[in-house]
Amino acid sequence: MPVTLGGGTVAGFDAAYAEQAERYPGPTAAWQPVHTVYVPADRFDAHTVRTWGDTALASLERHLPEDSGLSPVFGPMPRDLALDVRRRVARKLAEEPVEDLRIDFEDGYGARPGAEEDAHAAGAAEAVAAMHAAGTLPRRWGLRVKSFADGDPARSLRTLDGFLTGVVDRAGKLPGGFTVTFPKVLMEAYLGQFAACLASLEETLGQAAGTLRFEMQVEAPQTVMFLMRSPDLVPSLRGRLAAAHFGVFDYTAACGLPPAEQRLDHPVCDHAREIMRVALAGTGVELSDGSLAASPASDSTGDVHELWRAHSSMVRHSLRNGFYQGWDMHPSHLVSRYATVYAFHLATREAYAGRVRAWEARRDAGGGVMDEPATIKTLTAALHRATLALGDPGPEVS
């Protein structure tokens, strides 16, 4: 391969560099929700989000009064931090209890007669339009359709079409923040087929090209395998793939784990998530962890605290492993989700900012720390993520 040293040119470099920029644009600087709330379509209405917030806030007030401290439930933390976290959680539940809403027509909904599902899709569209008009629609929202792996793609697409058409007709437009979840992707070809259907539906609805995007669920070993062997997957979908969400229960069942081992922190789940991370690294596709399928055994404080501890442990595991979003399936999860996320970011924010300032000033960060440029990049990203998750700017760094 010819190389021109004096002119600084390398044959083929421009094409390779352009391909790098297209394939690996890097993570976006945009806000990513800390969770996705799943609500079965037959239980969803225009008041669902507010009901979840009110239920969670009442649970917080009853089972974790302001002067009780968070340590018995969420682990040791300084009193000032605990008070700050609780105050933030209460405010969040009152002002924005749900960041990302998914109306579920798949596992949480089940198989229904066609006319019944059509009616629920129309009702969901009416509720979304009402929420949009009232200013209560979450920043991210959408639905989960049935899988093509069920053998009936027409049912999946009919629900999506009916829902979106209903929203646009009632709201006068498609409100921002929409995404659709595509589950149980056992065949790689389903992704391209679904993306093509979105493009066609987009045109029918009069939406700008690229408006309709989707998130794939990683719920089977087959999906993990084609993620590993398909480096062209994301480019082939032409920007349609917005995120990949891990499905813990389908995945662990597919791996043959016993029921007691169907948990987010099981090693087989860690392995699957690591494949997701490696396969989608640098592509701009967001990653999300799964859920805890549990609710308090009763409304007693002991049972509620036990649920919060279990959920917090799973959320903390996800955060420590670089998965900053997960699923919440019950109003009680909102308390433990936000408390754990806020404590995670607040516990380190000042120290991280100090290390970045020390680096910029070319001085020792203290404590024997020797930061590398890559670490500073990570610290800066963590501070940016904390700002978005906490909703305030925090300590200043240049």
Side-chain angles (χ1 to χ4, degrees):
M1 178 181 296
V3 177
T4 305
L5 296 179
T9 60
V10 177
F13 168 78
D14 289 344
Y17 190 71
E19 182 180 357
Q20 173 190 312
E22 181 180 0
R23 284 179 176 270
Y24 308 115
T28 68
W31 168 82
Q32 179 178 356
V34 302
H35 70 172
T36 301
V37 162
Y38 272 78
V39 180
D42 59 323
R43 300 180 211 166
F44 172 72
D45 60 37
H47 307 291
T48 296
V49 168
R50 188 62 267 155
T51 299
W52 273 54
D54 291 344
T55 301
L57 185 56
S59 185
L60 175 69
E61 299 295 348
R62 177 176 178 181
H63 301 296
L64 208 61
E66 191 167 358
D67 59 353
S68 65
L70 300 184
S71 295
V73 181
F74 298 109
M77 64 181 77
R79 177 171 172 77
D80 288 349
L81 175 59
L83 291 173
D84 190 13
V85 168
R86 193 198 178 284
R87 175 182 59 81
R88 289 172 181 270
V89 172
R91 184 176 64 192
K92 184 71 169 179
L93 296 176
E95 296 178 356
E96 189 191 26
V98 174
E99 293 189 348
D100 186 16
L101 170 70
R102 207 65 76 246
I103 305 161
D104 191 12
F105 285 89
E106 203 232 357
D107 281 351
Y109 177 76
R112 309 287 183 99
E116 184 177 353
E117 184 162 336
D118 289 345
H120 284 139
E126 183 177 359
V128 164
M131 295 171 73
H132 173 64
T136 58
L137 189 63
R139 282 185 273 176
R140 292 257 188 102
W141 61 281
L143 76 167
R144 177 167 68 166
V145 295
K146 286 182 170 59
S147 171
F148 281 17
D150 294 339
D152 187 9
R155 177 65 266 179
S156 175
L157 297 172
R158 180 181 176 90
T159 297
L160 178 61
D161 187 357
F163 174 78
L164 285 175
T165 299
V167 171
V168 172
D169 285 348
R170 290 173 172 84
K173 64 176 183 178
L174 183 67
F178 172 79
T179 191
V180 55
T181 304
F182 190 50
K184 295 183 178 61
V185 189
L186 298 185
M187 299 294 292
E188 183 179 352
Y190 295 160
L191 294 172
Q193 293 163 6
F194 192 63
C197 291
L198 291 181
S200 177
L201 182 55
E202 195 174 71
E203 185 175 355
T204 300
L205 292 171
Q207 302 297 307
T211 298
L212 300 184
R213 304 183 72 206
F214 73 100
E215 53 199 20
M216 65 178 288
Q217 287 196 251
V218 179
E219 301 178 90
Q222 295 94 322
T223 315
V224 170
M225 286 298 294
F226 73 64
L227 282 176
M228 286 194 294
R229 68 171 183 256
S230 303
D232 295 326
L233 176 62
V234 175
S236 73
L237 298 174
R238 301 182 183 279
R240 296 279 177 193
L241 185 62
H245 287 216
F246 182 61
V248 56
F249 297 102
D250 281 279
Y251 191 83
T252 51
C255 289
L257 268 62
E261 297 300 326
Q262 288 189 293
R263 51 188 172 84
L264 278 175
D265 59 352
H266 193 281
V268 302
C269 297
D270 289 337
H271 171 262
R273 284 190 298 264
E274 196 57 33
I275 296 300
M276 291 169 61
R277 189 202 316 274
V278 170
L280 299 171
T283 62
V285 174
E286 293 178 350
L287 300 177
S288 175
D289 214 339
S291 62
L292 174 70
S295 60
S298 75
D299 196 37
S300 73
T301 295
D303 284 341
V304 173
H305 282 190
E306 183 177 357
L307 182 281
W308 283 344
R309 286 190 197 97
H311 186 229
S312 178
S313 175
M314 295 297 101
V315 174
R316 194 176 301 112
H317 181 82
S318 299
L319 292 170
R320 286 174 173 169
N321 284 278
F323 277 67
Y324 301 102
Q325 181 180 353
W327 295 4
D328 289 332
M329 313 292 286
H330 188 270
S332 61
H333 296 174
L334 300 182
V335 175
S336 37
R337 170 72 60 183
Y338 289 124
T340 308
V341 168
Y342 293 164
F344 177 82
H345 289 299
L346 288 167
T348 56
R349 188 164 65 163
E350 290 290 346
Y352 286 178
R355 288 169 64 180
V356 173
R357 286 193 294 265
W359 172 269
E360 291 169 343
R362 299 295 186 265
R363 57 180 171 79
D364 186 357
V369 173
M370 296 178 64
D371 284 322
E372 290 285 331
T375 303
I376 295 300
K377 184 178 180 180
T378 300
L379 290 167
T380 302
L383 289 168
H384 177 67
R385 191 177 298 111
T387 294
L388 296 176
L390 294 166
D392 65 57
E396 289 187 10
V397 294
S398 62

